Amino acid sequence: VQILLKLWRNGFSLDDGELRSYSDPTNAQFLESVKRGEIPVELQRIVHGGQVNLDMEDHQEQEYVKPRLRFKAFSGEGQKLGSLTPEIVSTPSSPEEEEKSILNAPVLIDDSMPATKIQIRLADGSRLIQRFNQTHRIKDIRDFIIQSRPAFATTDFVLMTTFPNKELTDESLTLQEADILNTVILQQLK
């Protein structure tokens, strides 16, 4: 371990650490060990019996000035959170909002078939949540949006997945084939 001991008029510092007063008994003991050519107990604990190279700089004609911290880039290890393609399942703000969006435009659900909920984030900032059968098609989502918000009937828009963003161009695919079960779909105006 390489350590730099700097002696100042009003104390000493190790590497670029804080000023340590000469009058403190612990610090005086530290300096006595250095004068005798021994490794101070404090440093022995740090190196666990390893080798210590102690360099000294004499600045006793100067007052201690706290060194400016040098920029040190993050040297840690990065961690990814979640899966590479997360499945987003979002809940509505309230049960009333969910119920309202389901009632806005009826989608015929076959209760004997597997179903899924799709959240649709509309271009106007609002959102719809609707239950569909897994066999419903992407076109059924488009029709549901137009029935729920008739203003979009004359607007040209596309449907997109989130993470990764991908345009759902083949509207004949079922929701299961398109792999969008229990996800969020974005409406983007062209």
Side-chain angles (χ1 to χ4, degrees):
V1 177
Q2 187 76 29
I3 296 179
L4 178 61
L5 172 66
K6 294 181 181 178
L7 301 172
W8 303 94
R9 181 180 302 150
N10 50 344
F12 70 94
S13 63
L14 294 177
D15 293 325
D16 285 330
E18 294 292 320
L19 179 69
R20 299 166 68 163
S21 170
Y22 292 129
S23 60
D24 184 323
T26 309
N27 296 337
Q29 194 176 10
F30 182 95
L31 289 175
E32 279 303 314
S33 296
V34 171
K35 286 179 187 174
R36 288 192 306 267
E38 300 171 357
I39 299 174
V41 177
E42 177 183 331
L43 297 181
Q44 288 176 7
R45 282 190 228 122
I46 294 172
V47 297
H48 306 293
Q51 185 177 355
V52 176
N53 291 327
L54 185 65
D55 290 329
M56 292 177 57
E57 287 183 5
D58 185 9
H59 298 277
Q60 290 183 356
E61 70 284 347
Q62 302 170 4
E63 289 288 321
Y64 170 80
V65 178
K66 187 173 183 173
R68 290 179 41 205
L69 294 177
R70 283 180 256 133
F71 173 75
K72 182 180 179 185
F74 176 73
S75 59
E77 184 178 309
Q79 300 291 326
K80 290 184 180 178
L81 300 176
S83 67
L84 294 177
T85 54
E87 181 175 293
I88 297 177
V89 179
S90 200
T91 57
S93 331
S94 65
E96 296 81 31
E97 182 183 330
E98 181 176 352
E99 196 58 39
K100 185 180 88 178
S101 67
I102 289 174
L103 296 176
N104 275 346
V107 172
L108 299 175
I109 305 291
D110 182 350
D111 288 325
S112 66
M113 302 283 290
T116 184
K117 276 189 184 173
I118 303 286
Q119 182 182 136
I120 305 154
R121 292 193 185 154
L122 300 174
D124 65 6
S126 64
R127 66 182 179 161
L128 300 170
I129 299 167
Q130 179 61 45
R131 256 182 90 221
F132 292 92
N133 285 116
Q134 294 181 6
T135 54
H136 275 104
R137 305 206 174 271
I138 295 173
K139 175 143 181 45
D140 296 322
I141 295 176
R142 177 180 288 278
D143 294 341
F144 169 73
I145 292 170
I146 292 170
Q147 288 174 355
S148 299
R149 302 287 198 280
F152 290 122
T154 58
T155 308
D156 197 15
F157 64 88
V158 294
L159 299 175
M160 308 274 296
T161 62
T162 58
F163 307 113
N165 281 9
K166 183 181 90 177
E167 187 175 337
L168 298 169
T169 53
D170 186 354
E171 294 191 357
S172 66
L173 291 176
T174 66
L175 304 183
Q176 188 168 16
E177 292 168 341
D179 195 24
I180 57 170
L181 303 178
N182 294 316
T183 60
V184 177
I185 300 297
L186 304 175
Q187 176 198 38
Q188 274 190 344
L189 301 180
K190 280 191 170 182

